[in-house]
Structures are given as structure tokens and as C-alpha cells.
Amino acid sequence: MTPPPDTHDASDWPHCGHDDGTDSRCRGRSTGTGAACLAHLDTGRRTTYLAGLTPGADLDHRGTPFTQDLLDELLTALRDPATARARIGRARFDEARFTGEVAFDEVDFSGVCSFATAEFDSGARFRDTRFADDLRLENAHLTGDLSIESPEVGADAWCYGTRVDGALRFRVAIVRGTAMFHGVTTGEAHFTGVRFKGPARFDDCAVDGPAYFDSAVFGDGADFDRAAITGAACFDGARFDSGRVSFDGAELGGEAQFSESRFATGATFDGAGFGGDLVFAHARLEGDIHFRRAAFRGTARIGPLLRPGLVDLSDAVFDSAVTLEIAADRLRCRRTRWASTAALRLRHTAVDLTDAVLEFPVTVAARSTRFVSAYGEPVDETDLTPAPVRVVSMSGVDVAHLVLADVDLTECRFVETVHLDQLRLEGRFVLAPPPEPIHWRGGLPVRWTRRRTLAEEHHWRATRYATAGWTPAPAGVETHDPAVLAPVYRQLRKALEDGRNEPGAADFYYGEMEMRRLDREAPRSERMLLGLYWAVSGYGLRALRALTWLGLAMTATVVAMMLWGLPQQDPDLESRGSITGHRVTLTTKKADPSTPQGSYGSRLSSARFDKSVRVVANSVIFRASGQDLTIAGTYVEMTSRLVEPALLALAVLAVRSRVRR
């Protein structure tokens, strides 16, 4: 950090040089009335010096040792009789040493007020003190408390590197310039209600206790990078109006409270460490909020966090059980590691879980009602666009410990997901449907079967049927062939079957068979067989299709029987016999059925129709009708008894797959 231009080294001023019996001589600034500093002037010269001061005078007592009594004498000489307030122009107390409790109460500094590298063996108090220009306390050391109460600091507040062993209470209404608290070390920090008009820097500060910034206003950014706060960090009601808000690398050991705070440009917590909960009840974030590479060591709850943008938890690590309550446009959890159980309760959010690591059970669930604050009040969602909770990617994730409840998987990418067959899908889950059922291809109407489909199937089909309504892959997303998608459907089917959701698994079975049928790497014979299976019954899942084919087959069989299968007339039985002695021998024969004669129209009679229907109906249930048939009719019946029961069985199988529990 570059020091302010008015900070001087000790060698810049004439030293007192008083021998106080120690190895070093006094480094106090010599006064104008003698070679000694104010502390070592004799009584007469001190009286003369103080008598020559008037309210508003400049002071230069760098390196001077002060007691409260000596300081009181100095301030008394500068008090304005009209206001009873001490008025000082430019004040230089750099490297001064203060003994006992020091009070600069009711003092007006019209110029720069500097205590750089000053030493306070106890505390210091600036009560009702006014700073028209810079306040400089950089690299000072106080063994007690530092309390600054002021209506304003008219320019900059430079306190970087200051060490306060007690509590730092900065009760200033407004700081009009830069607030520089870089590297400050203190036991407690109190900045409640301070309005920072310029940049506020608290990077690398260390607070061995709580830090209070509730209701503070940051007008031009807030830098808390690498800050270490072991106690609670309270930013309730704080406003971050503009500029960069950063807690990158910060260590917040206690609860971090941002209730009712306002972030006009978002915030970053990249690489930060958290030991307690993060509370964002009623907070308003206009920009994105990032927790990349953050470590949540003892965090039990994050939220309710509402923002109309991105919440980024990529590469974050959760070491303890945690509940996240988030309502945002997007939640990014790429490469996030969950080293304990977690519950993600979401609203209106699209979740990206690419390459996340789940060592323990993690639940992603859509919350149906609004989040509530710690006081039981519903959190306002005015700035959010209503939308279902969506999971957009699980690529690269081992989902053996993942539970999805009431989520939309329309855009979800499943390829490269590990242990997909162990994924648990609870409640209502939604997948992308095919395009509108009827579309035209080559002048002919084509109907897409209604079912649940994967986003990756949409991407692949969009490359083949560009105008059919399938959703193309987003920019940068790879398109996968059916050979890759078939195992994905198979594992999802098994996941639902293991969860006793047989009807839900049916669509994934259909998708698996579709991908196998369309896989150009599969043998042609297998694809032809699957094509036939698809055509006649929709892979045993479309009862109407199988019943339609059954009806057509039965109709064709009836017509064939009427035209060629039934004989011209039923043959009569003819019995012949002989009598030999007391023995009678009879032989009964039936003539071969005769081929029907006449025109086809004459064969389509009601009588022949009735006989044909009985033959076909009995064939469907493997029963012989007993009707005499021609040779052609016999073969037609044999074919009917093979095909039609199979079609009936496929229809029954399709119905069972939809109603099975």
C-alpha cells in the first residue's frame, strides 16, 4: 500500500533528543520556542508556547510523548470561547506516544489529522469530533479500544495496518473519501450505520471477534478480500450501491448475516471460508453472486438467497451437513464437492451439476411455497421470473447419492453421468416431449409418439429433422449418436423400475429401443427386427397400435376366408358298408372341400361372413373352429393362429406396462 503523500519519516523533523534514562533519546518534534518537544519543555517555555496558540492553529507534535494531562493543556489552549470546542487546523501526531486513556472529545480538525505509527498504551476516544479533511491512523497501535464518533470525515480515512488490541468503534456518519482499513487488526469491529461515499477497503484485516457493518452504506465498492473475522459478521440492512463488492479469500468463522441487505452489482466470495451460517433473508441482489472455490466448514444453512441472476458455487467444498435455500435464475454447482449430506431447496432455478462430487446423499428439491425468514415472514419474490426448478446438466456426476424431487429435466444432459441407474427420482419429474404429434415429411403426415424424451435425443434428431420441431443443442454442447443414448435410457429405466415406478419406466424403455433401432452401428437384421417390433406395437408399449394391427389382421383374415378359405359348400358325410353273416362293416368318408366358385362378389355373402368371423375369433384364442376349409383357408388359419394371438398378447402387454404398480 502506498502511503499518503503527507506521511513523513521520523528523520523529516528536528528531534528533542531528551535523555530519559533509556538507550534511546526522545524523538519528539522540537517546538518553535526551544529545542525540546512539548513534553520536555520547562514550565515557563511550555506556558509561553501554549499561550501563543489560538483556535484553528496547526500542530506538529510528531514523536512527542503525551499524557492525558498534557493533552488537556494543549486542547484547552485551542478551545474557542464561543463554542467551547477545541479547533485545530492541520494536526500531526505521527509516531507520538500516548500514555493512559486518551480523549480528543469535542475537537474540530479543519486540516489533515494524522496519527500515523502512533503508540497508545491504552485506548483512544474521539467523541463528537469533526474531521473536515483526512483522518490518518495508519500503522498505529492501541492496546485498548479505539472509539471514533463523528458526524463525518470530510476526505479520506486512512487506517491501514493499524492494530487495536481492544475494540474498534468507528461511529462516523459519513466518510466522503476513501476509507482505508487494509490490514487492520482488532478484537472487535463496529461500523454500524457508516456511510462510505468512496471506496471502502477492509482487505487483509483481522477481527478476533464479531464485526458489525449493519445498516452501513457502501457507495463505491467494498473490498473485504482475505479479511479474517472469527466471530459473527453482521451486514444486516447494509447497502452496496455501486462498485465491486468482494469477499474473495475471506475467512468468516461465525455466522455471516446479510438479511435485508442490498447489492446493486452482485458480490464475490471466491475462495472464502465459512464457519457458520449465511443468512440472506429479504436481501436483494441485482447482480450475480459467486462462491467459487469457497469452503463451507461448519455452515448448516445458506439462504434464503433470492436474486434474478446467477449463484455460482463452482469448485466449492461443503464439509458439513447443509441446507441451501435459493431462488435464482441459475445455480451453478460445477465441480462442487459435497463431503456431507445436503438439501438444496430451490425455487425458479436452473441447476447445473456438471462434474459435481457427491460423497453423501444430496437432495435437489423444488419448494412449492415461498421461503420464510427467521421471523416466519414470507420472503418477497417480486424480482424473480416464475419458472419450475430445472436441472440442466448432471454430466460427469456419480449420482448414486443424488435424489431429485419435483424437478424439470427438460434441458438436462445425462450423457457421461455415472451410476445413473441408482438415481432416485421422487415426486413429479418432467422431461421434454417430442414435437407436435403430426408433421409433414415428403408430403406425407408423420406422427411422433408422445413420450418422455432426453434433451440429448432432441439434439441428435434436430440434426436429422431440422424443420420438425426438435430442439437443437445449445452452442458448445456436443451432439451424441443413438449408440451413446441407448445406455442412458436403459439406466434411467432401471432407476425407475428399482423405485417401483413401472409406468414411468416404460417411456425410457421406448427411448432405449428407439435408439437401438436407429443405431447405424447395430447389425441390419437387429434393426429390421426392432423396426417390425416398433411398427406393430410400439415395442410392446402402444396397445392401440397393436389392437389396430390385430383388427386389420382379423379383417384381412375374414376377407381371405370369405374369398378363398371357405369351400363352395360344406361337404356331406357318406357312409358305405357290407354285411357278412352277422357282422356289419361301415366306412364313413367326407369329400374334400371344394374350391369356391363364382365371382368374388358372390362369395362375400352374410353366411360366409358369419362362418369366417367364427374361424378368425377362434384362431385368436388358439381354438379350432371345426369349420371345413380349403387348402388356402387352412394356411390362412395357420397364419392367423400365429400372428393374431401375438398381436393380442402385445396389446395386453402394453396395457399392463401402463397400469402395473
Side-chain angles (χ1 to χ4, degrees):
M1 174 59 59
T2 303
D6 287 333
T7 298
H8 298 286
D9 188 83
S11 61
D12 290 343
W13 65 77
H15 297 168
C16 168
H18 176 77
D19 186 359
D20 56 5
T22 63
D23 294 338
S24 61
R25 293 181 176 271
C26 177
R27 295 167 57 84
R29 174 70 160 83
S30 299
T31 64
T33 59
C37 66
L38 181 61
H40 296 125
L41 285 175
D42 58 40
T43 302
R45 290 185 176 182
R46 182 185 300 172
T47 301
T48 301
Y49 171 76
L50 294 175
L53 296 177
T54 59
D58 293 340
L59 298 179
D60 187 352
H61 293 291
R62 288 171 286 179
T64 301
F66 276 93
T67 63
Q68 183 61 52
D69 290 340
L70 179 60
L71 180 60
D72 287 342
E73 289 184 49
L74 178 62
L75 295 178
T76 298
L78 295 166
R79 291 198 181 277
D80 186 340
T83 62
R85 297 178 62 87
R87 290 196 295 110
I88 304 174
R90 181 175 184 177
R92 295 183 176 183
F93 292 93
D94 304 334
E95 293 193 30
R97 290 174 290 125
F98 295 89
T99 302
E101 292 288 338
V102 175
F104 283 85
D105 297 342
E106 299 179 342
V107 178
D108 297 337
F109 293 93
S110 59
V112 174
C113 176
S114 178
F115 292 84
T117 325
E119 292 282 340
F120 298 80
D121 72 354
S122 187
R125 186 182 69 213
F126 296 79
R127 185 171 59 194
D128 192 18
T129 305
R130 300 171 184 172
F131 304 93
D133 208 309
D134 291 352
L135 169 62
R136 295 178 175 171
L137 278 161
E138 61 269 22
N139 296 312
H141 177 212
L142 298 89
T143 59
D145 298 340
L146 172 59
S147 178
I148 302 174
E149 300 177 15
S150 174
E152 71 171 6
V153 173
D156 299 336
W158 293 80
C159 299
Y160 64 85
T162 297
R163 192 177 79 193
V164 182
D165 295 344
L168 170 58
R169 297 181 176 89
F170 193 81
R171 298 189 177 99
V172 178
I174 184 170
V175 179
R176 298 193 177 276
T178 298
M180 180 62 65
F181 290 86
H182 163 81
V184 167
T185 302
T186 183
E188 294 181 14
H190 298 260
F191 290 84
T192 299
V194 180
R195 183 181 181 88
F196 300 95
K197 296 284 287 186
R201 292 192 55 180
F202 293 85
D203 48 318
D204 295 297
C205 70
V207 182
D208 190 20
Y212 299 95
F213 292 86
D214 41 314
S215 301
V217 178
F218 299 86
D220 191 15
D223 185 352
F224 288 85
D225 292 350
R226 300 172 301 281
I229 302 174
T230 60
C234 182
F235 290 84
D236 290 343
R239 280 174 35 203
F240 301 87
D241 290 342
S242 65
R244 176 176 177 267
V245 179
S246 175
F247 290 80
D248 296 348
E251 289 289 335
L252 306 180
E255 185 174 76
Q257 303 168 357
F258 292 90
S259 297
E260 299 183 358
S261 57
R262 296 292 184 268
F263 295 81
T265 59
T268 62
F269 294 82
D270 295 344
F274 299 92
D277 295 350
L278 271 74
V279 182
F280 287 90
H282 300 290
R284 181 173 180 177
L285 296 95
E286 302 296 337
D288 299 337
I289 184 167
H290 298 270
F291 295 91
R292 293 169 297 203
R293 303 180 305 282
F296 299 89
R297 302 184 183 92
T299 305
R301 184 188 183 200
I302 298 176
L305 179 56
L306 284 73
R307 60 140 291 95
L310 170 67
V311 177
D312 194 349
L313 290 167
S314 298
D315 297 295
V317 178
F318 291 84
D319 290 331
S320 61
V322 63
T323 298
L324 288 86
E325 295 180 333
I326 297 174
D329 291 342
R330 292 171 294 150
L331 172 60
R332 185 180 296 159
C333 298
R334 296 176 181 172
R335 299 173 300 280
T336 303
R337 184 166 69 88
W338 312 91
S340 187
T341 56
L344 281 67
R345 299 172 182 168
L346 310 176
R347 284 177 61 77
H348 316 300
T349 306
V351 189
D352 185 352
L353 296 172
T354 302
D355 296 324
V357 178
L358 285 62
E359 301 178 17
F360 285 83
V362 174
T363 300
V364 178
R367 183 183 173 99
S368 59
T369 59
R370 287 192 294 169
F371 296 119
V372 296
S373 68
Y375 304 103
E377 301 171 346
V379 178
D380 183 25
E381 297 182 350
T382 303
D383 296 334
L384 296 173
T385 302
V389 174
R390 294 138 4 248
V391 178
V392 298
S393 176
M394 293 190 292
S395 179
V397 182
D398 186 338
V399 297
H401 294 299
L402 181 62
V403 179
L404 303 179
D406 299 310
V407 299
D408 188 321
L409 301 174
T410 299
E411 306 170 39
C412 188
R413 300 190 297 276
F414 290 93
V415 173
E416 298 180 357
T417 302
V418 181
H419 289 144
L420 192 55
D421 58 326
Q422 298 181 40
L423 173 67
R424 289 182 56 188
L425 295 171
E426 304 287 348
R428 180 178 181 269
F429 63 93
V430 180
L431 283 163
E436 290 300 319
I438 302 295
H439 72 284
W440 295 89
R441 189 194 309 165
L444 297 175
V446 178
R447 181 182 185 276
W448 299 114
T449 301
R450 306 305 295 170
R451 59 186 174 91
R452 294 185 177 114
T453 58
L454 299 184
E456 286 100 336
E457 182 179 345
H458 271 258
H459 302 164
W460 175 75
R461 288 188 183 269
T463 63
R464 301 187 63 190
Y465 314 108
T467 61
W470 294 94
T471 305
V477 175
E478 182 182 359
T479 300
H480 300 280
D481 293 332
V484 177
L485 300 182
V488 177
Y489 273 115
R490 184 181 306 119
Q491 293 182 68
L492 285 171
R493 171 177 60 83
K494 185 177 184 301
L496 265 67
E497 289 175 345
D498 291 345
R500 313 302 298 172
N501 186 356
E502 296 287 347
D507 279 349
F508 293 135
Y509 175 73
Y510 193 104
E512 175 192 351
M513 302 301 284
E514 274 285 271
M515 296 300 99
R516 290 176 58 190
R517 179 174 68 88
L518 299 171
D519 181 10
R520 297 297 181 183
E521 300 176 5
R524 180 182 295 272
S525 59
E526 178 182 336
R527 289 191 286 119
M528 291 179 63
L529 182 61
L530 290 173
L532 178 62
Y533 192 21
W534 164 78
V536 299
S537 67
Y539 309 114
L541 295 174
R542 298 296 179 259
L544 181 60
R545 188 180 305 182
L547 290 173
T548 300
W549 279 109
L550 176 59
L552 292 174
M554 293 177 67
T555 301
T557 304
V558 168
V559 173
M561 285 293 182
M562 293 174 67
L563 295 178
W564 304 288
L566 296 178
Q568 180 69 24
Q569 59 183 15
D570 292 335
D572 295 329
L573 295 176
E574 181 179 333
S575 299
R576 295 182 181 181
S578 60
I579 301 175
T580 305
H582 297 286
R583 185 176 181 180
V584 178
T585 302
L586 294 175
T587 301
T588 302
K589 293 183 178 181
K590 179 184 288 188
D592 292 334
S594 59
T595 303
Q597 303 296 320
S599 65
Y600 287 145
S602 64
R603 302 178 194 179
L604 300 176
S605 64
S606 59
R608 293 176 65 84
F609 175 76
D610 182 63
K611 292 180 180 180
S612 298
V613 169
R614 289 200 301 269
V615 171
V616 173
N618 282 283
S619 297
V620 172
I621 57 174
F622 292 102
R623 290 181 57 187
S625 64
Q627 174 65 49
D628 293 314
L629 302 173
T630 64
I631 294 176
T634 300
Y635 282 105
V636 170
E637 184 185 39
M638 290 171 59
T639 304
S640 171
R641 294 180 69 175
L642 175 65
V643 173
E644 292 165 6
L647 291 173
L648 179 60
L650 290 173
V652 173
L653 178 64
V655 172
R656 182 176 181 272
S657 68
R658 291 300 183 183
V659 301
R660 182 179 178 183
R661 298 179 61 185

